[in-house]
Amino acid sequence: MSKFSYKNRPLGLYLHIPFCVSKCGYCDFYSVTDQTLVKHYVTALLTHIREYGRTCGGYTVDTVYLGGGTPTCLGAKFLGRILQEVRNKFRLADDAEITVECNPESTNKKVLEMLKKQGVTRLSFGVQSAHEDELRAIGRIHTFQQAADAVALAKAKGFANISLDLMYGLPGQTQARFLESVERCLALDPQHLSCYGLKLEPGTPMGRADPVLPDDDAQADTYLALCDVLRERGFEHYEISNFARPGYRSRHNMKYWDLSEYLGLGPGAHSFLNGRRFAFSRDIKAYIGGEDILRDEEEVASFQRQGEYLMVRLRTADGVDLLDLEKRYGIDSTPYEEAFRSLMGNGLIAHQGMRWWLTEKGFLVSNSIINRVVEAGQSQPAL
């Protein structure tokens, strides 16, 4: 690892906690259930925090995100050691956003008190549904009452920035039933909601079982109804799947959507540093063994970056500023503007001056729109 000497350049830090008590039927994220590996994994992660703390010493970390897996299943002791080592080895901004993903069944008083002591500012709870039969169908091991109790306890411990995850498009789920889950979650007074449509991944138990899901039209109607409900409740729809009260957007996730630099540690974690992308292999035993198995390591060419910029920015409500695109990559944005204009008139896209963005209806077909726009500028030379 070469040392990066960028003075005070902002950096997002992601730490992957690849442990779950049990695997959910739909989940394709890298995690294991072997709790005997926890102590050894934490030791390996602490080693990497120290090493990368030195090589990234010129950066100022302004967001930290502990995801998984289920970070809270580590318990207060191990989570506390990880968070303290981050503080010891990285330069943290005074107003750093520090997020920890929590599962209701493993969030308790001791864990929350430790997280508060370590300066955690944001909690993200995996709720997914307010209905017990739906939770069981997707392999969740908590009840909605446990989720409500965990959120109430977090608020009592002083946490004022809480996000909840919800899923729609579950087997047999109706729009009315999903919106009931939304209402019950809103009653918990969250500052942020992440709402995802269920996608059946081939390698997962649910993917192999291939249950019947609501069709595309039904899911689209549910999504638009969700958008209407949350807009009426004062939430900003700032990214395809994310909604926040004013001032509560996820600062860490915004780094992915504006191509800011971030460092990911742990098996399966990805990084984008100094124009290079790399990821650690999804192999916890190799990681514990000290093998820095990096995959997909590459210098990202300028034309790739401009395509990525378009892809991630068009996922957000802010959209793409073509003047910013020209400034960043030294290109003529005319082909992109022509592609955008060709899509006008169907309610999928909007613009103000040189800024273009997808409407909520456009979000439903975002992949096809994004591909069309990106392809429009692939053959043009840099200025």
Side-chain angles (χ1 to χ4, degrees), residues 135-205:
L135 291 170
R136 289 193 297 273
I138 60 177
R140 302 295 290 184
I141 60 175
H142 69 269
T143 65
F144 182 71
Q145 188 59 54
Q146 283 179 300
D149 290 345
V151 171
L153 182 59
K155 288 180 175 293
K157 294 299 177 182
F159 289 95
N161 189 353
I162 292 177
S163 177
L164 305 180
D165 286 358
L166 277 172
M167 298 180 73
Y168 62 89
L170 304 183
Q173 186 185 60
T174 63
Q175 180 183 126
R177 220 154 181 252
F178 172 70
L179 293 180
E180 184 180 340
S181 284
V182 173
E183 291 292 346
R184 293 179 70 184
C185 284
L186 288 173
L188 303 180
D189 192 30
Q191 285 66 52
H192 187 282
L193 285 174
S194 294
C195 301
Y196 304 98
L198 174 62
K199 182 180 179 183
L200 296 177
E201 301 290 351
T204 63

Side-chain angles (χ1 to χ4, degrees), residues 264-282:
L265 300 180
H270 289 251
S271 300
F272 179 48
L273 274 176
N274 197 28
R276 297 187 68 83
R277 294 196 183 279
F278 59 90
F280 288 98
S281 176
R282 291 161 62 107

